[in-house]
Amino acid sequence: MITVIDLIHLRRCVVLAREALQAGDSPFGSVLVKNSTGQVLREDRNRITTGRDVTLHPELSLVIWAQRQQDLDRSDTTVYTSGEHCPMCATAHANAGMGRIVYVASSEQLCEWRKEMGAPPTPVALLPIEIVAPALKGVVEGPVTTKDPSLVERVKELHRVKHQQTQNQARAQTQG
């Protein structure tokens, strides 16, 4: 069940997603929290464009960081994120023995939004986390549509802005 504390961390993820968008990256942000203490261990945002590396998803960056912490019980963590993990991130999360995942918007929602905007499909199928990593069944929660619909709407708006930016860049390149 998504709690008030979960919503606080998810709001931070949306702020990080906005920061990613402002930097020129796709709007995704994530926060890693130690469950037993409530301590925020690390946070990150998407950096695939600015970092020139398609693997620089914030969820994957948090998993890599967590694996390098020798005294961290990775099963005692929650990854909060603005969007449901992609297959690459879900695989890493499961294989690293990470704990809970809580997300604002689902992959299904993102695909629907992209269709509405006239964006092309993503190059990789956006599958539900539990399909990619069945071991994570029972530890994944989201989307937060019923708990805080405004969060989902804010994430949708960030993706709309990113799509508009991409279209404007494509127009400028064809005109330039």
Side-chain angles (χ1 to χ4, degrees):
M1 181 166 98
I2 296 173
T3 68
V4 172
I5 298 297
D6 292 334
L7 291 173
I8 290 168
H9 293 304
L10 290 171
R11 286 183 190 105
R12 178 64 185 149
C13 292
V14 174
V15 168
L16 291 164
R18 184 177 306 111
E19 289 175 11
L21 180 63
Q22 290 168 342
D25 291 296
S26 293
F28 294 95
S30 302
V31 175
L32 178 65
V33 174
K34 185 173 182 177
N35 296 332
S36 58
T37 64
Q39 176 188 7
V40 173
L41 298 174
R42 196 164 182 87
E43 54 184 40
D44 205 354
R45 64 168 182 80
N46 187 294
R47 297 173 191 280
I48 64 172
T49 301
T50 56
R52 298 176 187 260
D53 182 340
V54 297
T55 67
L56 291 179
H57 295 202
E59 305 88 350
L60 182 59
S61 297
L62 295 179
V63 169
I64 291 168
W65 178 86
Q67 289 181 108
R68 293 180 176 152
Q69 309 312 302
Q70 292 181 353
D71 59 344
L72 177 63
D73 175 4
R74 293 188 299 272
S75 67
D76 181 34
T77 62
T78 296
V79 173
Y80 293 94
T81 190
S82 59
E84 184 174 9
H85 287 32
C86 72
M88 173 183 69
C89 295
T91 300
H93 190 103
N95 285 337
M98 302 291 287
R100 193 167 162 244
I101 298 171
V102 183
Y103 60 86
V104 175
S106 69
S107 296
E108 181 180 357
Q109 288 171 308
L110 179 58
C111 288
E112 287 172 17
W113 300 340
R114 290 178 61 82
K115 267 188 202 171
E116 288 172 16
M117 294 176 220
T122 59
V124 173
L126 297 178
L127 303 171
I129 293 168
E130 294 95 337
I131 298 295
V132 176
L136 296 176
K137 280 187 180 167
V139 298
V140 179
E141 296 189 63
V144 297
T145 310
T146 57
K147 282 288 187 176
D148 190 343
S150 70
L151 274 178
V152 177
E153 286 304 313
R154 287 194 300 212
V155 169
K156 181 179 181 179
E157 177 61 12
L158 293 172
H159 284 279
R160 187 198 64 74
V161 169
K162 178 61 177 174
H163 177 65
Q164 188 63 51
Q165 288 174 347
T166 301
Q167 285 185 314
N168 291 344
Q169 289 169 347
R171 266 186 250 153
Q173 287 176 348
T174 59
Q175 293 172 356

